[in-house]
């Protein structure tokens, strides 16, 4: 197992290095650049040239990359040009990470707790109204664009009913003491119940919007997987042996059906990060997704580099953890 | 290290917030049980002594966040919106107009040659750090501006100084408009400039020339700007300790929430702010800003989309329409399309545009078709000029005469942007494009993201035709046409044309004319020549940008420069 993990980590380092080269070149091949964002709309050609010289952007791209790499290895990932001007790009990532983690975790929690039981029940009642309804519902979840869902949720629950806040992470003036950066958790840890409740209320609408796609995907995989397992010989055998339905459900159906579901949940974490770009933007949540969107708009190279590299790193780690979880659930994998 | 420091600051800020909210709730309960808690009542006494002072918070939704809080290093509207509340300049703008009036200088007088200016500094003005404003402090600011070194000299950092004053002290190869500043007595600052220009002293009303506390700048190393990687790093003064004389003082920037908090400065020399606190929340998405206002979470936001104006008003909000102090134009550049060198082709393009229809269908109420490159509120506006008549036949004829009946033109379309002069670039683009196609011109549209190549490409002369505009910074014709056409290496590449030197000379001459009446005539003449003979670009419209506030907001005075002073705002809840 250790050898396996070490090998996977080594592969990850190579992959990250290659990604950094491609990313560096690709970003700089896009039209525009941080110079436009730094100078604004009133600059002259001379201003532009002077700035490019001052920042070394007039150098050949491999010289620029070498400079980036040597700095990055010493922990300096450059200075944000737009998202948080003047701040260290890595700091921008770290500062924005908690918001995204909180949102994604909450969305994943909603998706998983709704999708897995519903998928199981739907499969057990294949073809009946509950199943048909749930399948339709999950189709809508995939089909409706996240930003549209966000807009509708907000219009109904924030603007018209006034039950929930429309955007942001907390009400102006209600903040908990910063411990982890996850506002709900911080409020609970410091026993500032008002702040925790306020942060939770702010999370509900964006998390629902963000959960729509993983919910649908996890639901469909669970349902399909349970259906597959129901047809397996060992389930029939178990029934024939007269085992209680509780044991059959738990040990035989659910446990085996969950293997593909765990993989899917892991992969959905990547999808959540992608979904967070839109959700955070629409709900003014200052997380990674929002930084990514703003970074692209204004070509903030250092921030984009850090965010994408870190997202890749997280993705690699999550995948590694999924594989390990797989090994734990499925003895056959462990045996290999 | 930075990490820990940042965490400490954030922690302290959060703690302060918690403590202050505790203090607040104590105060509230004090009101109910009088006389029981002497100490707390004493603390609350400061505020209640004034009786009338509101403790309301005004929450404003901004489309972006400020870059930093030192306006001398800024050139973006979101930064100025905030620093405008914290700082004041020697000169100011008459509320609601772009007219220059006294600010921290209660009066000012120039020598006959316009080179030496005496500013009489207002008595009794305090900086937020408790130090007094005097002539020495004013001169310390001028000297600071002029003595910027290294990275700070780049126009990405000091745009306004570079463009208005030119060089810095250690730049022998660049002229500077600035000569010296001397405190001739305690409350008189004498500023000398190197040549006469019509812009001076009006430019000093611009937010970039705000007067800072010299002691705060020294304490927080205000001039320490460095180029680092692909960006610039700014000192703590610019990010955490801005110290001016304004009606609001800086209370904190919460990066996790994107909110800047300002609080009423109790020692302000003038009328104190109408609310105890002003919070500016960054809400990048336009639909979110609207829904936040509808949900009552914010009190107002800038640049509501004109299509929402009616419904916002029906919901009881107020749409405040600012006077239009801007110009939208079609930029032309003959570098990549030689047909444009012929003035008849340019005239044909202008006659082909149905400006009236464009203004009526695509621009908000109050917009006007433009006949020249600046609005009618500036001296030098030529009343005799009419917008180019919509005349497709004439356009066809002119093209025929020029031998370009089959003209083909690449027309750049800005995407991912809205500007005060251009609320919906796509629809404006489509209107002009179809007008041109109607007279037989082949238009090749080239959509491009605003900062993803559009600004860069138009600046470098790659676009034969493009949409761009300008909002004035201060009251001066030179700030419009001088900025556009004095340099010949501009976005229009006027250096391509045979009139380039003549136009430059006229602009320099007008800017150097000390007699205001004579100068006004000169600008009128230049406007006529630009419209009738030169036509380096096509003025299209002036459109009024709006700001929307909820019913509860009273006393907002809008500014044509979008330089609102929010200290007059009160919340009526």
């Amino acid at each position: 197992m250790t050898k396996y993990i070490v090998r996977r980590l080594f592969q990850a380092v190579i992959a990250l290095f290659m990604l950094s080269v491609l990313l560096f070149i690709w970003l700089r091949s896009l039209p525009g650049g941080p110079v436009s964002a730094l100078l604004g709309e009133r600059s002259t050609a001379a201003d532009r040239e002077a700035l490019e010289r001052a920042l070394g952007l007039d150098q050949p791209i491999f010289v620029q990359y070498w400079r980036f790499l040597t700095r990055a290895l010493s922990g300096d990932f450059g200075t944000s040009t737009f998202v948080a001007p003047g701040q260290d790009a890595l700091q921008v990532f770290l500062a924005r990470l908690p918001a995204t983690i909180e949102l994604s975790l909450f969305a994943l929690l909603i998706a998983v707790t709704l999708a897995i039981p519903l998928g199981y029940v739907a499969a057990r009642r294949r073809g009946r109204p509950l199943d048909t309804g749930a399948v339709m519902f999950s189709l809508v979840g995939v089909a409706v664009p996240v930003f549209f869902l966000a807009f509708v949720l907000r219009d109904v629950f924030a603007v018209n009913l006034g039950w929930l806040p429309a955007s942001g992470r907390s009400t102006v003036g209600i903040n908990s003491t910063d411990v982890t950066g996850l506002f709900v958790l911080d409020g609970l840890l410091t026993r500032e119940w008002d702040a925790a409740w306020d942060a939770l209320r702010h999370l509900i609408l964006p998390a629902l919007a963000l959960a729509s796609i993983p919910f649908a995907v996890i639901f469909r995989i669970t349902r399909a997987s349970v259906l597959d397992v129901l047809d397996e010989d060992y389930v029939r055998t178990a029934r024939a042996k007269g085992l209680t339905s509780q044991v059959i459900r738990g040990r035989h159906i659910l446990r085996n059906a969950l293997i593909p579901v765990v993989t899917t949940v892991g992969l959905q974490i990547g999808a959540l990060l992608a979904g967070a770009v839109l959700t955070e933007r629409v709900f003014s949540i200052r997380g990674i997704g929002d930084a990514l969107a703003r970074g692209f708009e204004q070509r903030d190279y250092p921030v984009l580099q850090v965010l994408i590299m870190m997202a890749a790193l997280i993705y690699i780690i999550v995948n590694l953890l999924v594989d390990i979880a797989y090994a734990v659930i499925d003895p056959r994998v462990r045996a290999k | 290290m930075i990490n820990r420091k940042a965490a400490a600051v954030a922690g302290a800020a959060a703690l302060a917030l918690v403590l202050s909210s505790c203090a607040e709730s104590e105060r509230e309960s004090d009101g109910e049980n009088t006389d029981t808690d002497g100490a707390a009542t004493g603390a609350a006494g400061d505020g209640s002594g004034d009786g009338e002072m509101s403790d309301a918070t005004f929450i404003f939704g901004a489309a972006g966040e400020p870059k930093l809080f030192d306006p001398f290093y800024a050139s973006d509207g979101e930064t100025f919106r905030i620093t405008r509340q914290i700082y004041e300049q020697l000169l100011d703008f008459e509320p609601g107009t772009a007219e220059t009036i006294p600010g921290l200088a209660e009066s000012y007088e120039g020598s006959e040659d316009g080179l030496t200016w005496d500013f009489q500094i207002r008595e009794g003005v305090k900086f937020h750090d408790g130090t007094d404003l005097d002539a020495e402090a004013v001169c310390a600011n001028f000297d600071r501006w002029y003595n910027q070194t290294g990275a700070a000299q780049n126009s990405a950092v000091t745009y306004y100084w570079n463009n208005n004053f030119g060089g810095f002290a250690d730049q022998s190869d660049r002229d500077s408009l600035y000569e010296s500043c001397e405190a001739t007595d305690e409350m008189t600052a004498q500023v000398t400039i190197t040549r006469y220009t019509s812009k001076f002293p009006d430019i000093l009303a611009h937010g970039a020339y705000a007067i800072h506390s010299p002691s705060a700048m020294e304490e927080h190393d205000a001039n320490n700007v460095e180029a680092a990687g692909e960006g610039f790093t700014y000192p703590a003064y610019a990010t955490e300790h801005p110290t001016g004389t304004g009606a609001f003082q800086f209370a904190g920037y919460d990066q996790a929430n994107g909110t800047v908090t300002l609080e009423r400065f109790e020692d302000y020399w003038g009328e104190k702010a109408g609310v105890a606190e002003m919070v500016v929340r960054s809400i990048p998405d336009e639909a979110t800003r609207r829904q936040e206002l509808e949900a009552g979470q914010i009190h107002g936001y800038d640049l509501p989309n004109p299509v929402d104006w009616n419904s916002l008003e029906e919901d009881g909000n107020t749409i405040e329409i600012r006077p239009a102090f801007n110009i939208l134009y079609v930029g032309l550049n003959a570098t990549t399309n030689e047909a444009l060198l012929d003035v008849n082709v340019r005239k044909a393009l202008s006659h082909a545009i149905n400006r009236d229809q464009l203004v009526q269908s695509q621009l908000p109420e109050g917009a006007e078709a433009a006949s020249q490159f600046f609005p009618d509120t500036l001296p030098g506006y030529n009343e005799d000029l009419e917008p180019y008549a919509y005349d497709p036949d004439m356009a066809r004829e002119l093209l025929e005469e020029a031998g370009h009946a089959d003209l083909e033109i690449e027309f750049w379309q800005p995407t991912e942007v809205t500007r005060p002069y251009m609320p919906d670039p796509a629809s404006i683009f489509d209107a002009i494009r179809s007008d041109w196609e109607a007279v037989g011109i082949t238009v090749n549209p080239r959509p491009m993201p605003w900062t993803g190549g559009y600004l860069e490409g138009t600046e470098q002369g790659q676009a034969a035709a493009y949409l761009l505009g300008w909002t004035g910074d201060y009251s001066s014709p030179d700030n419009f046409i001088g900025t556009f056409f004095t340099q010949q290496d501009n976005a229009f590449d006027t250096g391509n044309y045979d009139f380039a030197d003549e136009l430059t000379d006229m602009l320099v001459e007008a800017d150097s004319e000390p007699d205001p009446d004579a100068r006004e005539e000169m600008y009128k003449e230049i406007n006529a020549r630009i419209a009738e003979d030169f036509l380096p670009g096509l003025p299209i419209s002036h459109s009024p940008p709006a700001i929307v506030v909820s019913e509860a907001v009273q006393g907002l005075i809008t500014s044509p420069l979008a330089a609102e002073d929010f200290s007059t705002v009160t919340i009526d809840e």
Side-chain angles (χ1 to χ4, degrees), chain A residues 28 31-34 36-45 47-48 50-52 54-55 57 64 71 79-81 83-87 91 94 96 151 154-155 158-159 165-170 172-173 175-178 183 192 281-284 286 290 294 297-299 301-302, chain B residues 2-3 6 10 14 17-18 59 63-65 67 75 154-156 159-160 163 227-234 253-259 279 281-285 287-288 290-292 294-295 297 416 419 421 448-453 455-456 459-460 469-473 489:
Chain A
R28 281 154 187 80
S36 292
L38 285 169
L39 284 172
E41 68 195 279
R42 298 170 164 204
S43 55
T44 65
D47 292 339
R48 205 168 276 278
L51 181 58
E52 283 176 355
L55 299 179
L57 295 170
Q64 292 187 46
R71 283 197 188 137
T79 307
S80 168
T81 54
V83 175
Q87 282 190 38
Q91 281 302 120
L94 293 175
R96 283 171 171 262
F151 191 86
R154 207 168 47 193
D155 202 48
V159 178
S167 75
R169 290 183 72 197
S170 65
V172 168
N175 273 4
S176 59
T177 316
D178 188 14
F183 283 10
E192 290 158 299
R281 187 90 181 139
V282 173
F283 282 97
S284 292
R286 292 157 58 86
D290 173 68
R294 294 162 54 79
E297 267 164 33
Q298 305 285 340
R299 304 281 187 265
Y301 296 158
Chain B
I2 308 169
N3 203 346
L17 257 172
V18 172
I59 307 176
E65 46 225 284
K67 208 172 109 184
S75 58
N154 197 289
S155 55
Y159 169 82
Y160 280 101
N163 281 269
E230 273 141 355
F232 295 91
T233 59
Y234 295 94
Y253 180 24
D254 176 355
Q255 299 233 25
N257 284 305
T259 52
V279 174
R281 256 186 73 188
S282 155
I283 307 171
D285 185 68
T288 312
R290 202 188 75 217
Q291 288 183 321
E292 281 281 12
E294 288 167 342
Q297 304 283 313
E416 294 173 32
R419 308 298 296 160
Y421 49 78
M448 201 174 295
W450 187 244
T451 46
L455 286 177
E456 197 176 329
E459 183 52 59
Q460 292 172 346
W470 182 270
T471 300
D473 295 313
D489 176 22

Side-chain angles (χ1 to χ4, degrees), chain A:
Chain A
M1 196 73 177
T2 320
K3 212 168 136 194
Y4 171 73
I5 293 175
V6 169
R7 202 178 67 227
R8 289 289 304 264
L9 283 176
F10 181 70
Q11 285 170 350
V13 170
I14 301 286
L16 282 176
F17 171 74
M18 281 165 56
L19 176 68
S20 80
V21 176
L22 289 177
L23 185 62
F24 196 89
I25 295 172
W26 175 68
L27 281 177
R28 281 154 187 80
S29 71
L30 296 174
V35 168
S36 292
L38 285 169
L39 284 172
E41 68 195 279
R42 298 170 164 204
S43 55
T44 65
D47 292 339
R48 205 168 276 278
E49 270 167 43
L51 181 58
E52 283 176 355
R53 245 196 336 273
L55 299 179
L57 295 170
D58 55 341
Q59 305 271 316
I61 191 145
F62 293 104
V63 176
Q64 292 187 46
Y65 179 75
W66 180 247
R67 216 177 38 183
F68 159 77
L69 188 69
T70 45
R71 283 197 188 137
L73 290 175
S74 67
D76 174 5
F77 290 87
T79 307
S80 168
T81 54
F82 182 81
V83 175
Q87 282 190 38
D88 185 67
L90 187 61
Q91 281 302 120
V92 174
F93 168 77
L94 293 175
R96 283 171 171 262
L97 188 60
T100 304
I101 290 182
E102 185 171 49
L103 175 63
S104 305
L105 276 183
F106 200 57
L108 191 65
L109 191 72
I110 292 176
V112 167
T113 50
L114 292 180
I116 293 180
L118 197 62
Y120 179 78
V121 174
R124 292 298 302 259
R125 302 186 185 181
R126 178 165 35 171
R128 295 205 217 148
L130 180 106
D131 179 40
T132 322
V135 170
M136 297 265 286
F137 186 65
S138 75
L139 265 178
V140 172
V142 178
V144 173
V146 171
F147 70 88
F148 180 72
L149 185 60
F151 191 86
V152 172
L153 283 174
R154 207 168 47 193
D155 202 48
V156 173
F157 295 102
V159 178
N160 289 323
L161 295 173
W163 291 353
L164 292 164
S167 75
R169 290 183 72 197
S170 65
T171 304
V172 168
I174 306 181
N175 273 4
S176 59
T177 316
D178 188 14
V179 185
T180 62
L182 310 179
F183 283 10
V184 177
L185 187 62
D186 285 356
L188 296 175
L189 287 175
T190 56
R191 298 176 178 227
E192 290 158 299
W193 312 121
D194 281 0
W197 175 236
D198 178 64
L200 185 67
R201 279 165 38 87
H202 278 81
L203 261 184
I204 293 172
L205 293 182
L208 276 176
L210 183 55
S212 64
I213 289 175
F215 161 78
V217 175
I218 296 169
F219 164 77
R220 294 170 73 84
I221 295 287
T222 310
R223 181 175 171 275
S225 179
V226 171
L227 283 178
D228 279 350
V229 173
L230 284 177
D231 288 341
E232 289 282 350
D233 292 341
Y234 57 78
V235 174
R236 222 172 304 139
T237 314
R239 276 209 192 98
K241 281 199 307 197
L243 289 178
T244 64
S245 58
Q246 211 170 356
V247 172
I248 297 174
R249 261 184 236 146
R251 192 173 301 164
H252 295 277
I253 302 179
L254 210 51
R255 190 168 175 149
N256 286 299
L258 274 183
I259 294 172
V261 174
V262 169
T263 316
T264 307
V265 170
L267 290 173
Q268 283 305 306
I269 293 178
L272 278 171
L273 285 179
V277 173
L278 274 178
T279 315
E280 287 178 4
R281 187 90 181 139
V282 173
F283 282 97
S284 292
I285 293 171
R286 292 157 58 86
I288 306 283
D290 173 68
L292 207 57
R294 294 162 54 79
F296 260 113
E297 267 164 33
Q298 305 285 340
R299 304 281 187 265
D300 190 332
Y301 296 158
V303 163
L304 289 176
Q305 275 156 199
V306 168
L307 292 185
I308 295 172
M309 298 287 293
M310 289 297 168
L313 186 66
I314 292 173
Y315 202 71
I316 288 170
I317 292 173
V318 167
N319 269 294
L320 188 60
L321 292 178
V322 168
D323 287 346
I324 294 170
Y326 216 77
V328 173
I329 298 178
D330 188 347
R332 283 172 303 180
V333 178
R334 224 177 314 164
K336 276 187 228 160

Side-chain angles (χ1 to χ4, degrees), chain B residues 364-395:
Chain B
E365 198 185 312
E368 277 174 20
S371 59
Q372 48 209 300
F373 276 96
F374 60 72
D376 60 4
T377 43
L378 284 175
Y381 182 85
N382 192 329
E383 305 279 356
D384 299 335
L385 295 174
E386 289 286 329
Y388 260 75
Y390 174 54
D391 192 340
D393 292 333
M394 170 88 87

